[in-house]
Amino acid sequence: MPVRQATGSVTVVKLTVQVKLLPTPLQAAALEETLRACNQAATWVSQVAFEKDIKRNFPLREHTYGQVKERWGLGAQAAQHVIKKTCDAYRTLKANLKAGNLGKPSSKRYRRAIEKPIAFRPEGAQPYDDRMLSWQHTQRTVSIWTLSGRMKQVAFTAAPEHVARLALYRKGESDLLFRDGMWFLTATCEVPEAELNTSVTQFLGIDLGIVNIATTSDGQIMAGRRLNRGRLRERTLRQKLQKKNTPSAKRRLKRRRRKEARRARDINHKIAKHVVAEAERTGRGIALEDLTGIRARVRLRKPQRATLHSWAFAQLGAFIVYKARKAGVPVVFVDPAYTSQQCCACGHIDKKNRASQARFTCRNCGVVTHADRNASHNIARKGEAVWTAGRESRVPATP
């Protein structure tokens, strides 16, 4: 997820850009050998960290650095990154345990996570810094360290805007990874935010949903029928292949495992781009519902759970936020309580106002409208109230 960070007087958004490497067979073999060695070394370092209960970088380096270089033939920088990667993995595990993401301490999942050391997959990502990796943007090539020596003129491909972003804003480490038979480099870019438009007085309300992915207070509906049909089709096919459980079925499952996620990501990017462009064009801010923890709060029947849990609403919200920051469009999050039950015309709140999924009929004033449009108007109004409250002084005037 994009991260906001202040660098001096300039606020930047940390974004990742992924490029696809196009190595020759000889280059691919060297990359595979290097990645496997790094992850084998990381698994061994993890065992040492677990047995000695040392999870910090410098103390762990004293116990493992020399052996990592000697046993796996890694260079100094690669060995340090292997140890740091291991410490980062344990830090992430600790954060997940503390947040309850792995269940309660009495659960099997929680116990499995703490009773054995972390193991790294042979194709797991490996960090590279500027001493181990250099970019030639105009030639679309990289020079990268491997166990076989420095591998030069490894070609890569990416969209023109991604190449331009890499050339202008790349900073820090890049990760080498192997996925589905393809090689990728994921680089971190620090993109400056545009100056925030603090003069806005109106907000574009966005109601996020499952049937309709996003509905704006301008009345525009981004329907989710196509995406939901695709999800259902993929889920049905996945169940059939899992039940069949033959070698060919397993190969087909492996080929299709990320197809649904890529489709949802592409649609979310397009929706977020459109929403931010509309808000920027009209000089408004964007108001979104704070849907944190919605999966834990909502109770659904079993057939509906898969639909809810495959809904990438957090991803869409994150895309809107970082695109808005790049454009200088303010974003506020509002309490989602009663936005679907309150009439946007008279303010009357009643469960029975929501006659169906798509129909809203106010029991007080008789207004009939689309339910998601009604909710988006309420979200916009709440966004304006939150923005005004944040800008107004709450300190009493000095007598």
Side-chain angles (χ1 to χ4, degrees):
M1 183 181 292
V3 177
R4 190 183 188 194
Q5 179 177 331
T7 306
S9 59
V10 180
T11 305
V12 297
V13 180
K14 280 195 172 186
L15 303 176
T16 56
V17 173
Q18 183 172 274
V19 303
K20 182 180 178 181
L21 296 180
L22 304 172
T24 65
L26 182 64
Q27 292 171 339
L31 291 174
E32 183 177 2
E33 180 190 19
T34 303
L35 201 59
R36 287 184 178 275
C38 288
N39 283 297
Q40 288 172 4
T43 299
W44 178 80
V45 172
S46 175
Q47 292 173 352
V48 174
F50 184 80
E51 292 168 2
K52 296 183 178 294
D53 194 24
I54 301 174
K55 311 293 173 52
R56 290 185 298 139
N57 189 6
F58 288 103
L60 184 59
R61 190 180 297 179
E62 294 177 2
H63 294 273
T64 58
Y65 177 72
Q67 293 189 57
V68 166
K69 291 183 63 178
E70 183 180 349
R71 289 178 60 179
W72 285 277
L74 303 186
Q77 290 301 113
Q80 291 182 28
H81 280 298
V82 163
I83 297 168
K84 182 177 179 294
K85 179 171 77 169
T86 304
C87 295
D88 290 343
Y90 277 106
R91 191 178 299 113
T92 301
L93 174 62
K94 183 178 179 181
N96 283 327
L97 293 172
K98 185 177 181 181
N101 296 335
L102 299 178
K104 297 180 179 179
S106 58
S107 68
K108 289 184 180 179
R109 190 181 179 193
Y110 188 100
R111 291 199 303 271
R112 282 200 301 266
I114 64 173
E115 288 175 354
K116 60 182 181 180
I118 294 174
F120 293 85
R121 294 177 292 107
E123 67 276 9
Q126 173 64 20
Y128 276 72
D129 60 24
D130 287 343
R131 300 184 193 181
M132 305 164 63
L133 174 70
S134 60
W135 298 77
Q136 295 81 45
H137 302 288
T138 53
Q139 292 84 12
R140 301 282 180 97
T141 61
V142 295
S143 172
I144 186 169
W145 173 86
T146 68
L147 289 177
S148 304
R150 191 83 174 191
M151 195 71 64
K152 297 183 179 180
Q153 294 183 343
V154 181
F156 72 86
T157 182
E161 60 268 24
H162 289 172
V163 176
R165 183 177 295 170
L166 282 171
L168 291 173
Y169 305 120
R170 189 193 63 80
K171 192 171 184 180
E173 297 176 355
S174 303
D175 288 343
L176 173 70
L177 63 145
F178 183 72
R179 187 177 66 228
D180 297 337
M182 296 176 286
W183 291 95
F184 298 94
L185 275 173
T186 303
T188 303
C189 296
E190 295 185 356
V191 181
E193 288 187 11
E195 185 177 354
L196 187 66
N197 181 9
T198 57
S199 62
V200 299
T201 57
Q202 295 182 326
F203 276 75
L204 182 66
I206 311 295
D207 179 58
L208 304 180
I210 297 175
V211 176
N212 297 313
I213 301 175
T215 305
T216 72
S217 53
D218 286 347
Q220 188 169 11
I221 298 175
M222 291 80 162
R225 293 186 186 89
R226 180 182 173 188
L227 179 60
N228 290 328
R229 282 198 300 268
R231 283 175 174 167
L232 179 61
R233 185 169 57 250
E234 288 291 326
R235 189 161 63 244
T236 303
L237 178 59
R238 188 163 56 244
Q239 290 170 351
K240 288 181 180 178
L241 293 173
Q242 288 169 346
K243 188 176 181 180
K244 196 172 183 182
N245 201 32
T246 61
S248 61
K250 290 178 181 178
R251 287 195 298 270
R252 193 173 178 188
L253 275 170
K254 188 176 181 180
R255 286 198 304 268
R256 302 183 68 87
R257 61 183 174 179
R258 290 190 177 88
K259 186 175 181 180
E260 181 181 339
R262 288 197 301 268
R263 185 188 294 117
R265 186 180 183 89
D266 179 62
I267 292 174
N268 282 341
H269 265 301
K270 290 176 180 176
I271 292 174
K273 184 177 180 180
H274 174 78
V275 166
V276 172
E278 183 63 19
E280 184 181 17
R281 183 184 69 82
T282 56
R284 290 179 290 179
I286 298 174
L288 297 169
E289 291 176 297
D290 183 3
L291 298 177
T292 305
I294 188 173
R295 289 187 172 95
R297 296 197 306 268
V298 175
R299 295 180 180 272
L300 294 172
R301 294 191 180 98
K302 192 172 182 179
Q304 298 172 302
R305 291 174 194 165
T307 302
L308 175 69
H309 289 285
S310 63
W311 176 39
F313 65 88
Q315 184 188 75
L316 175 56
F319 287 172
I320 292 174
V321 168
Y322 92 78
K323 290 178 189 295
R325 284 175 177 167
K326 284 171 57 183
V329 175
V331 178
V332 297
F333 286 87
V334 304
D335 185 355
Y338 308 113
T339 53
S340 62
Q341 300 175 16
Q342 184 178 17
C343 176
C344 63
C346 69
H348 177 68
I349 299 175
D350 193 335
K351 261 188 177 182
K352 297 179 181 179
N353 284 348
R354 188 75 180 257
S356 66
Q357 186 281 322
R359 186 181 176 86
F360 183 93
T361 305
C362 182
R363 297 298 177 111
N364 182 52
C365 67
V367 165
V368 178
T369 184
H370 192 284
D372 292 341
R373 288 177 182 170
N374 175 79
S376 65
H377 282 293
N378 291 329
I379 294 167
R381 190 175 296 114
K382 283 189 174 185
E384 292 167 6
V386 169
W387 179 256
T388 303
R391 295 176 63 202
E392 288 179 353
S393 173
R394 292 289 182 260
V395 181
T398 306

